[in-house]
Amino acid sequence: MTDLQVVILAAGKGTRMKSTLPKVLHPLAGKSLLGHVVDAAKALSASRIAVVYGHGGEAVPQAFATSGATFVIQEPQLGTGDAVRKALPVLAASGVTLVLYGDVPLIRASTIRKVAEAARDALCVLTVVLDDPTGYGRIVRDAAGAVKAIVEEKDADAPTKAIREINTGIIALPSAWMHDWIQSLRNDNAQGEYYLTDVIGMAAAVGRPIRTVNPDTEWEVMGVNSRSQLAQLERVHQREVAENLMAGGVTLADPERIDVRGTLACERDVFIDVGCVFEGNVTIGEGAVIGPYCVVKNTSIAAGSKIQAYSHFEDAKVGPDARIGPYARLRPGTELDEDVHVGNFVEIKASRLGKGSKANHLAYLGDSEIGRNVNVGAGTITCNYDGANKYKTIIEDDAFIGSDTQLVAPVRVGKGATLGAGTTLTKDAPAGELTISRAKQTTLSGWKRPVKAPKNS
Ligand code: UD1
Ligand code: CA
C-alpha cells in the first residue's frame, strides 16, 4: 500500500522489565521487539514509518539508524493520543495511517494489512474477545452492533467492564480524519491522559463508518510488559517456527526444544535433534542430520551431512555428505567440500578442505588450504599467527600429516607428501616424500630409576 503510513508507539517506560535497556530493544528470537514490528510494517510497503520513542536516550533511534524509519521523541508521556500527536508533523494528511505498538512483537503482516485496507474509507480497530478483559479498553457497541466508543478500564462502569471485546490498540484511519481529531483530544479522564481511543467516539459522533477486524490468534496482539511475558511470547514464536519446519518436511526430535533466531531454511527429510540453536541465515540440505545441542550461525550445511552433538558453526559452508563432530568447531571462513570428516575437538578457521579430506581428532587448522583426500592426524596444529601477522598453510592433495605435527606457516606440504608424527615443519615439505623432524630415539640400557632418600628420624 503506497499511500500507507505507519506510526509505532514505543515511548512507554517498561518499568516492569527492570532493565537499563529500553523495553522495545529487548530481543525476541534474536531480533528486538521493535524490529519485529518495523519488519511487519515494511512488509506492507508503507511509504513512511514513524516511531515515537521516549526512554533510553538515543539508544532506540541508534539501533534503527539504517531502518529507514523516522524517529520522534515524546517527553513526557501523556498518553497514546499525545504520542500520535507528536508524530503528526512527520505524517502526511493523505492516505491511510496505521497505529502499531512497539511492544506487540508477534503481530502478523497479514493481519495489519486487513486493518489498513479496511481503513480507506472508515476507521478500523483490531479487536479481540478475551475470557478475561481486565485492563483493556472495551469496545462499546450500540443495539445494532455498530461501534460507538472505546472505554478504558479505569473509566468504565460495571456493565462496560463486563464487555469482553477489547481494543488491541492497533487502529487505522484515513490520515485526514486523524489530523483533525488528534488536535481536539482532551485529557479529562480517570488517568489524565490523552487517549488515542477517543477518536473512536469522535468518528461515531460525526457518523463516520467504524469497522473491526480480528487477528488469527490471540498471541499476535499480546504486549510485552515483563520478562515473563517476553519469555511466553518467545515460546509461542518458537513453536510456530517449529510447526512451519515440520510442515515443510523436517523432523524435529522435540518441537519444544529448538530455537531459531533468524531464518532456518531446510530441504526435506532434515532431522534436528533437541537443544539446537540456529542464528542468522542457516540453510540445511536434504536428508542432513543435526545432532543434539548444536549451535549453527550463518552457515549452510549441504545434503546428506551428519552433524554430531555439541558442534558449533559460524559463517561456514559444509559440503554434501560431511561427517562433523561431536564437539567440532567451524569458525568463520571454513569451507568444506564433499565428504569431509571433521571429528571431536577440531577447530577450523578461514580454511578450505577439499573433497574426501579428514581431520578426525584434536586439531587446529587456521588460514589453510587443504586439498583432496588429505589425512590430518590427531593433534595437528597450524601455527598461523606469530603474535602480529597471520600466515597461510597449504597442504596439497593426498598428503598425510602425522599426529602431533606443527605446521609453522607460511609453509607448504606438497602433493602426496607424508609428515612423520611429531614433526615441526618450518620449511616446505616436498611432494611424494617423507619429511620428519624428530630427535633420534635412543635407549640407555642399564639405567635405574632414582629412589627416594631415606627420611631422618
Ligand atoms: C492502550 C489502549 C487500550 C488498549 C490497550 C491494549 C489507550 C488510551 N488505551 O491502553 O484501549 O486496550 O492499549 O494494550 O490508547 N505509549 C506511548 N506514549 C504514551 C503512552 C503509551 O508511546 O504516552 C505506547 C506504549 O509504549 C505502548 C502503547 O503506547 O507501546 C500502549 O501504551 P499502554 O500504556 O500499554 O496503554 P494502555 O493504557 O495499556
Ligand atoms: Ca498496555
Side-chain angles (χ1 to χ4, degrees), residues 238 241-246 248-260 263-279 282-296 301 305-309 311:
Q238 294 299 347
V241 170
E243 291 296 336
N244 287 337
L245 287 168
M246 293 188 291
V250 174
T251 297
L252 300 178
D254 181 355
E256 304 288 347
R257 284 185 288 169
I258 175 172
D259 284 86
V260 179
T263 55
L264 171 59
C266 294
E267 291 177 1
R268 15 180 88 202
D269 295 319
V270 166
F271 175 88
I272 300 174
D273 215 323
V274 299
C276 293
V277 177
F278 300 92
E279 297 178 57
V282 175
T283 61
I284 304 177
E286 185 167 336
V289 173
I290 314 294
Y293 303 104
C294 291
V295 178
V296 188
I301 295 172
S305 287
K306 303 257 183 297
I307 315 296
Q308 298 195 65
S311 294

Side-chain angles (χ1 to χ4, degrees), residues 61-107:
Q62 271 162 17
F64 286 82
T66 60
S67 67
T70 307
F71 283 81
V72 182
I73 190 156
Q74 184 203 21
E75 186 51 67
Q77 284 85 48
L78 302 176
T80 50
D82 177 64
V84 173
R85 181 161 58 204
K86 288 286 183 302
L88 283 187
V90 304
L91 297 175
S94 59
V96 170
T97 298
L98 168 70
V99 178
L100 304 176
Y101 286 179
D103 55 2
V104 178
L106 300 188
I107 190 72

